[in-house]
Amino acid sequence: MLNLTLVLGGAASGKSSHAEMLVRESGRSRVYLATAQAFDTEMKQKIEEHRLARGDGWTTVEEPLEIAPALASVDAEKIILLDCATLWLGNYQLAGNDPAEAPEVFAEALGHARAPVVVVSNEVGQGIVPADAMSRAFRNAQGRLNQRVAAMADRVVFVTAGLPQVLK
Amino acid sequence: MLNLTLVLGGAASGKSSHAEMLVRESGRSRVYLATAQAFDTEMKQKIEEHRLARGDGWTTVEEPLEIAPALASVDAEKIILLDCATLWLGNYQLAGNDPAEAPEVFAEALGHARAPVVVVSNEVGQGIVPADAMSRAFRNAQGRLNQRVAAMADRVVFVTAGLPQVLK
Amino acid sequence: MLNLTLVLGGAASGKSSHAEMLVRESGRSRVYLATAQAFDTEMKQKIEEHRLARGDGWTTVEEPLEIAPALASVDAEKIILLDCATLWLGNYQLAGNDPAEAPEVFAEALGHARAPVVVVSNEVGQGIVPADAMSRAFRNAQGRLNQRVAAMADRVVFVTAGLPQVLK
């Protein structure tokens, strides 16, 4: 059993579906740790679409920010899908925290899990440099968070157009 | 003979050149199905540069939107280069259609082809979340369209800096 | 000994660290050719962070634009880390040059090196099409520069979340 798996990909790349498949294949009781917040109609619709695609058989825990206790609360014999690190990072930055500290905070939180965890995260650093400083700080923090989690992970998969590549 | 090949890549990644090479290697009569529209000088220049890079020996069909009949019109013993799905998606959205329906419409159109098809498409989902809703809808639709075509394709190639990686 | 290595990746992907490791592994005297300019606090901080991460044992040459003589000035038995082609391209465009000519100018400059060179460069073409023409010209030039250097290189490595993939 892998303790930590990181599933990376761009927007609408199929990364969540791939992560869900990995979790289902474990045969364990599945806990979905959702970091999304339904601020507006667009986000509500996206959350609902993901819920439908995921299907039944999941216990859902909604926790936009304080993921350490949420991870610790899941029994060791279950499995956790954390979807996703990018929305968590957005919540972390919007709450007034310094995004430069986010990689360490996120990594520390993962250490509280007793069950295996599959983390979904976005690649956001392969476009043009954003014009605003907040977006630049976000993409730097996201890149470093991905590096940090990848270094801890047993396996790292990059998903493009629904197709996985094993990076580690 | 592969029936459907998807060539993915970022802007100026060499994806069109790679797709052209795949088509030339087939030894078949080559049909270039162009979805670009020469709205302005920048686009006119890009189309001309691509035409020069492609060289002679192509029958060009220009069709920004209604690709199903264009695909159906090509004889089965020829080969089609559809360049590209991203400009088609832009045309589809600009014409007032719901981009969420684009993946299904595009996939359905591909089913009308009798000749093998090589589709060029862009990866657009690996930057920061766009600030405007129209761009977000576009990149979601593009990601899903790429997933949809990749699932149908016999082969999927990702091109970076002119170098191909076979994803499927 | 490889004469030319290209290390590609997104923002905060770990590409510089990977390139530094490749250079250290050569066992040669290390020259760091820095193209960054400390225009503002953000850039000053980034330069300082990279300097600290790099550690001691480097001779630093700062040259934002005229890299041909800087490359030529390094003895053949040393090794050069050029970090990075993307900042050089930004400097080239800001100085009023046509970015479309940048790939050829950069490639020509590399030809002046007598020592092996590891070039760091960004992938910037996998987001949404930028709204402004200057950014579009930049990302086209960056894509073509990457293709040009990749074609010349003995080895091309793409780094994601700190994990290298050999593309060539």
Side-chain angles (χ1 to χ4, degrees):
Chain A
M1 192 63 226
L2 300 173
N3 284 316
L4 181 61
T5 304
L6 173 61
V7 179
L8 282 170
S13 62
K15 59 192 183 305
S16 289
S17 299
H18 186 76
E20 286 156 25
M21 190 200 67
L22 294 178
V23 167
R24 269 195 299 271
E25 282 179 354
S26 73
R28 290 177 168 230
S29 289
R30 308 192 289 272
V31 176
Y32 185 78
L33 176 45
T35 56
Q37 290 180 286
F39 285 128
D40 55 23
T41 314
E42 186 178 328
M43 204 61 192
K44 274 191 189 125
Q45 191 182 335
K46 193 178 173 182
I47 290 172
E48 181 60 14
E49 283 171 8
H50 271 254
R51 200 187 59 73
L52 285 172
R54 202 156 63 237
D56 293 334
W58 298 78
T59 305
T60 299
V61 178
E62 295 187 1
E63 180 45 64
L65 205 51
E66 300 299 333
I67 52 171
L71 288 163
S73 72
V74 176
D75 290 343
E77 76 276 9
K78 297 185 176 178
I79 185 166
I80 302 165
L81 175 52
L82 197 172
D83 194 357
C84 67
T86 304
L87 291 170
W88 175 86
L89 178 60
N91 297 335
Y92 186 83
Q93 187 175 19
L94 280 173
N97 299 295
D98 180 0
E101 293 168 5
E104 200 48 41
V105 170
F106 190 85
E108 200 273 336
L110 285 178
H112 288 261
R114 293 175 293 142
V117 184
V118 177
V119 175
V120 175
S121 190
N122 279 66
E123 171 59 53
V124 303
Q126 299 190 15
I128 280 289
V129 179
D132 62 300
M134 198 173 172
S135 295
R136 286 198 300 277
F138 180 86
R139 78 168 190 162
N140 279 335
Q142 177 70 88
R144 287 174 185 180
L145 188 155
N146 289 347
Q147 284 188 57
R148 187 76 171 79
V149 178
M152 296 166 71
D154 306 288
R155 175 156 295 194
V156 180
V157 182
F158 197 94
V159 181
T160 309
L163 303 170
Q165 281 185 295
V166 175
L167 298 186
K168 177 182 176 178
Chain B
M1 192 63 228
L2 301 173
N3 284 317
L4 181 61
T5 304
L6 174 61
V7 179
L8 281 170
S13 63
K15 59 191 182 308
S16 288
S17 297
H18 185 77
E20 287 155 26
M21 191 201 67
L22 294 178
V23 168
R24 268 194 299 271
E25 282 179 355
S26 74
R28 291 178 167 229
S29 288
R30 309 192 288 272
V31 176
Y32 184 78
L33 175 45
T35 56
Q37 289 180 286
F39 285 128
D40 55 24
T41 314
E42 187 177 327
M43 204 60 193
K44 273 189 189 126
Q45 192 183 334
K46 194 178 172 182
I47 291 173
E48 181 60 14
E49 283 171 7
H50 270 255
R51 200 186 60 73
L52 284 171
R54 204 155 62 238
D56 292 334
W58 297 80
T59 305
T60 299
V61 178
E62 295 186 0
E63 180 46 63
L65 205 49
E66 300 301 332
I67 53 171
L71 289 163
S73 71
V74 176
D75 291 342
E77 76 275 9
K78 296 184 175 179
I79 186 166
I80 302 166
L81 174 51
L82 198 170
D83 194 358
C84 67
T86 304
L87 291 170
W88 175 85
L89 178 60
N91 297 334
Y92 185 83
Q93 188 176 18
L94 279 173
N97 299 295
D98 180 0
E101 294 169 5
E104 200 48 43
V105 171
F106 190 85
E108 200 273 337
L110 285 178
H112 288 263
R114 293 175 292 142
V117 184
V118 177
V119 175
V120 175
S121 191
N122 280 64
E123 171 59 52
V124 303
Q126 299 190 16
I128 281 288
V129 179
D132 62 300
M134 197 174 173
S135 294
R136 287 197 300 277
F138 180 86
R139 78 168 191 162
N140 280 335
Q142 177 71 87
R144 287 174 186 181
L145 188 156
N146 289 347
Q147 284 188 57
R148 188 76 172 79
V149 178
M152 296 165 71
D154 306 288
R155 175 155 296 194
V156 180
V157 181
F158 197 93
V159 181
T160 309
L163 303 169
Q165 281 185 296
V166 175
L167 298 186
K168 177 181 176 179
Chain C
M1 192 62 226
L2 299 174
N3 283 316
L4 181 61
T5 304
L6 173 61
V7 179
L8 281 170
S13 62
K15 58 192 183 306
S16 288
S17 298
H18 185 77
E20 287 156 24
M21 191 200 67
L22 293 178
V23 167
R24 269 195 299 271
E25 283 180 354
S26 74
R28 291 178 167 229
S29 288
R30 309 192 288 273
V31 176
Y32 185 77
L33 175 45
T35 56
Q37 289 180 288
F39 285 128
D40 55 24
T41 315
E42 186 178 326
M43 203 61 193
K44 274 190 189 125
Q45 192 182 334
K46 193 178 172 183
I47 290 172
E48 182 60 14
E49 283 171 7
H50 271 254
R51 200 187 59 74
L52 285 171
R54 202 155 62 237
D56 292 333
W58 298 80
T59 305
T60 299
V61 178
E62 295 185 2
E63 180 46 63
L65 205 50
E66 300 300 333
I67 54 172
L71 289 163
S73 72
V74 176
D75 291 342
E77 77 274 10
K78 296 185 175 178
I79 186 166
I80 302 166
L81 175 52
L82 198 171
D83 193 358
C84 69
T86 304
L87 291 169
W88 174 85
L89 178 60
N91 296 334
Y92 185 83
Q93 186 175 18
L94 279 173
N97 299 294
D98 180 0
E101 294 169 4
E104 199 49 42
V105 170
F106 190 85
E108 200 273 337
L110 285 178
H112 288 262
R114 294 174 293 142
V117 184
V118 177
V119 175
V120 175
S121 190
N122 280 65
E123 172 57 54
V124 303
Q126 298 189 15
I128 281 288
V129 179
D132 62 300
M134 198 173 172
S135 294
R136 287 198 300 277
F138 180 85
R139 79 168 189 162
N140 279 335
Q142 178 70 87
R144 287 175 185 180
L145 187 156
N146 289 347
Q147 284 188 56
R148 187 76 171 79
V149 178
M152 295 166 72
D154 305 288
R155 175 156 297 194
V156 181
V157 181
F158 197 93
V159 181
T160 309
L163 303 170
Q165 281 185 297
V166 175
L167 298 186
K168 177 181 176 178

